[in-house]
Amino acid sequence: MANEGQISILRALDSAKTQWYHVTTVIISGMGFFTDSYDLFVISLITKLLGRIYYQKPGSSSPGSLPDGISATVSGVAFAGTFLGQIFFGCLGDKLGRKRVYGLTLVIMTVCSICSGLSLGTDPKSVMTTLCFFRFWLGFGIGGDYPLSATIMSEYANKRTRGAFIASVFAMQGVGILAAGGVSLLVSYIFELHFPSRAYMVDPATSTVPQADYVWRIILMLGAIPALLTYYWRVKMPETARYTSLVAKKSEQAASDMAKVLNVDIEASSAKHDQARFSSDEFGLFSAKFLRRHGLHLLATTTTWFLLDIAFYSQNLFQKDIFTTIGWLPPPKTMNAIQELFMISKAQFLIALCGTVPGYIVTIATIDWMGRFKIQVVGFFMMMLCLIGLALPYHHWTLPHNRIGFIVLYSLTFFFCNFGPNATTFIVPAEIFPARLRSSCHGISAASGKAGAMVGSFGFAALVKALGMRNTLLVMAGISLVGMLLTLFLVPEPKGKSLEDLSGEAEPEKIKDTIVV
């Protein structure tokens, strides 16, 4: 018989005060997400530079640019890798454990970040081919970080502040976007300082200095640094108690790991007690019982994430085109190649600083009292209003004295995207599914999102050409409306509930047990 005061491991995790292990888990998981977003979003900054370096036509009145097909592939190929990586590593995280495959994702990201910058060859075909090859596998590694980071953080956190902890991990996406703009600003500034050249309209032949080929390579390879810095700590993390106890059925190991984490004495009998308290009906992902219990949940997380990422990645990856269309960026021919990179980077940096990052911060501060459901509904609704506000008076925004108003409203779409569905679609799938399927279901949900990102990256430019920027923005507003409606009817509210209650793993008659007897 266990001591009367000996508590259940899972109850201890749910009720634990914020401790140092919570902070370290956020940092370790968050640095992976920082790397993810840096690598995914930095490519949009350098595509103009790649066009000038490798696709310049002698005698042309305008600077070189990537052909439409190549531009879409360079921007979107990492999403294809991410899509596969999310499903593969998500399922692997449930089969082998979260920790066993967590370090592998960082290794893939580090190697492929470096190789993306090296991109063998000097002719356009070989450079673009190798760049796309390594960015595909970079995306594959990034994909694994989504389900593993979310699942690990949710299984470590207490139920009162779980939303804020998972949101803190995801908020590193905003910091990564900010860093991509900041690093590109710094590198382009240094190279422009040391290798100045004339604008394209003044001297086309020398407007792209030979050293510009180093600029994009350095920017891409710097993405490997944060991954390297956290690799050691990631592989030293203990497996989560929920996986070890409820999935792997290793009671003694779960007790030992969590005793160190929680700084309390926990005996193996308490982990065995946790196993006894929860249902042993281990239905599979493709079973009829899963469909009945969680089919609508999975439909909710996949469809809302899919729609969100169409709008989110379309606007992020093609910011430079939107800014050029409204005249916020100078015409390309009035700048040299490095100056153009500097101006594009400055625009992304300012949008991230004023709209993207504040949205994440407000989410962290409010999610555990406001709830995931309300934040997602309000976020989709406000995104819709902002996009309509940009689209309907579109000609008004293109006039020079109205451009600041456009930028403010455009920044608000990113604020409400991140204080809204961009954060909550990441958080909810990590909370509502059973432990043995949690990583897989999160990976499937995230992969659905990346399918939306591919639609956005490959389809946005084509849509603008076919419909114009005004109508394209209206389409994005319609997508936000559909996302809001699906949220209203399908998305549950996990606020304040234990993972086991949310997933249905806790048997009703056993929930009252809190002490090992």
Side-chain angles (χ1 to χ4, degrees):
M1 180 180 295
N3 294 332
E4 186 177 350
Q6 185 184 324
I7 60 173
S8 155
I9 293 177
L10 303 187
R11 293 286 181 179
L13 284 169
D14 278 337
S15 60
K17 295 180 180 180
T18 299
Q19 300 180 36
W20 180 242
Y21 79 89
H22 288 119
V23 178
T24 56
T25 304
V26 168
I27 294 171
I28 294 168
S29 301
M31 286 305 290
F33 244 82
F34 174 94
T35 305
D36 297 348
S37 61
Y38 180 97
D39 289 330
L40 286 177
F41 290 102
V42 77
I43 195 68
S44 66
L45 302 177
I46 65 171
T47 51
K48 294 280 190 181
L49 181 60
L50 290 172
R52 290 208 189 210
I53 295 172
Y54 295 107
Y55 290 90
Q56 181 60 51
K57 297 178 181 178
S60 174
S61 61
S62 59
S65 61
L66 295 178
D68 289 344
I70 294 176
S71 177
T73 302
V74 169
S75 298
V77 69
F79 295 135
T82 304
F83 174 87
L84 294 176
Q86 286 166 332
I87 296 174
F88 176 79
F89 285 108
C91 294
L92 208 61
D94 285 332
K95 294 292 183 183
L96 302 181
R98 291 69 160 117
K99 177 198 170 181
R100 289 183 64 181
V101 293
Y102 205 27
L104 179 59
T105 61
L106 277 189
V107 172
I108 295 172
M109 288 156 55
T110 300
V111 171
C112 292
S113 290
I114 295 171
C115 290
S116 294
L118 295 177
S119 288
L120 309 176
T122 55
D123 63 285
K125 184 177 181 180
S126 60
V127 171
M128 293 301 120
T129 299
T130 54
L131 175 61
C132 289
F133 174 82
F134 287 118
R135 281 194 63 78
F136 173 86
W137 289 107
L138 171 66
F140 188 73
I142 288 172
D145 240 34
Y146 276 73
L148 295 173
S149 291
T151 301
I152 286 172
M153 192 69 251
S154 71
E155 292 182 346
Y156 267 119
N158 64 60
K159 64 182 180 181
R160 290 175 292 99
T161 58
R162 186 177 60 237
F165 282 125
I166 307 174
S168 297
V169 172
F170 191 64
M172 293 304 290
Q173 183 182 78
V175 180
I177 296 172
L178 190 69
V183 169
S184 300
L185 268 174
L186 180 61
V187 174
S188 58
Y189 174 79
I190 292 171
F191 271 78
E192 175 64 16
L193 201 63
H194 289 85
F195 308 103
S197 61
R198 297 182 177 182
Y200 185 87
M201 61 188 299
V202 176
D203 189 355
T206 62
S207 67
T208 304
V209 296
Q211 292 81 4
D213 194 46
Y214 295 113
V215 173
W216 68 271
R217 297 176 186 273
I218 291 171
I219 291 171
L220 289 183
M221 287 192 287
L222 286 174
I225 293 177
L228 281 172
L229 291 176
T230 54
Y231 175 77
Y232 172 79
W233 301 106
R234 182 170 286 200
V235 297
K236 294 293 288 183
M237 291 177 68
E239 183 58 85
T240 70
R242 285 183 160 93
Y243 182 87
T244 305
S245 179
L246 301 181
V247 183
K249 311 296 186 185
K250 297 180 179 178
S251 304
E252 293 183 1
Q253 186 65 49
S256 174
D257 289 342
M258 290 305 101
K260 297 173 184 176
V261 166
L262 296 171
N263 296 315
V264 295
D265 291 329
I266 298 176
E267 296 182 9
S269 57
S270 65
K272 291 179 180 178
H273 175 64
D274 285 327
Q275 293 173 16
R277 287 175 56 237
F278 299 111
S279 173
S280 58
D281 184 11
E282 298 186 354
F283 51 86
L285 181 61
F286 301 104
S287 66
K289 185 165 285 189
F290 176 86
L291 185 63
R292 288 196 303 271
R293 291 191 181 184
H294 299 289
L296 287 179
H297 290 161
L298 192 58
L299 179 64
T301 57
T302 53
T303 53
T304 53
W305 206 337
F306 174 80
L307 293 169
L308 177 277
D309 273 10
I310 294 177
F312 179 69
Y313 282 93
S314 292
Q315 294 180 77
N316 262 298
L317 292 175
F318 295 96
Q319 278 184 25
K320 58 187 182 300
D321 302 303
I322 295 172
F323 293 151
T324 300
T325 302
I326 66 160
W328 196 40
L329 293 178
K333 64 181 181 180
T334 64
M335 300 177 283
N336 65 41
I338 297 178
Q339 285 172 341
E340 184 178 29
L341 171 61
F342 180 88
M343 294 300 294
I344 293 170
S345 302
K346 183 171 75 171
Q348 176 168 303
F349 183 85
L350 290 174
I351 291 294
L353 183 65
C354 299
T356 304
V357 173
Y360 288 113
I361 293 172
V362 175
T363 298
I364 294 169
T366 62
I367 193 166
D368 283 311
W369 65 265
M370 186 173 176
R372 291 69 157 149
F373 176 81
K374 288 182 181 178
I375 288 177
Q376 187 159 313
V377 169
V378 171
F380 269 128
F381 179 71
M382 293 304 298
M383 284 174 63
M384 179 189 69
L385 290 186
C386 290
L387 288 165
I388 291 174
L390 292 172
L392 291 182
Y394 184 71
H395 175 70
H396 168 82
W397 298 122
T398 61
L399 301 177
H401 56 281
N402 297 326
R403 289 170 187 163
I404 296 300
F406 180 94
I407 298 305
V408 171
L409 196 54
Y410 187 65
S411 296
L412 284 174
T413 65
F414 284 97
F415 174 83
F416 284 108
C417 179
N418 296 301
F419 175 46
N422 194 39
T424 53
T425 53
F426 176 82
I427 295 168
V428 173
E431 299 180 298
I432 61 176
F433 297 105
R436 64 186 178 281
L437 301 173
R438 185 170 292 132
S439 181
S440 298
C441 290
H442 194 286
I444 292 169
S445 303
S448 178
K450 282 301 167 285
M454 285 188 277
V455 171
S457 62
F458 288 107
F460 184 82
L463 202 60
V464 171
K465 283 191 174 183
L467 303 178
M469 186 63 75
R470 179 179 182 274
N471 290 330
T472 300
L473 291 173
L474 285 174
V475 170
M476 296 300 152
I479 288 171
S480 299
L481 173 61
V482 177
M484 183 188 73
L485 294 175
L486 287 171
T487 301
L488 285 170
F489 291 107
L490 294 177
V491 175
E493 177 54 77
K495 179 182 70 172
K497 301 175 183 177
S498 73
L499 296 181
E500 290 68 41
D501 291 343
L502 285 165
S503 64
E505 290 173 285
E507 295 183 355
E509 66 273 15
K510 297 181 180 180
I511 291 176
K512 295 180 181 179
D513 296 334
T514 58
I515 304 296
V516 178
V517 180

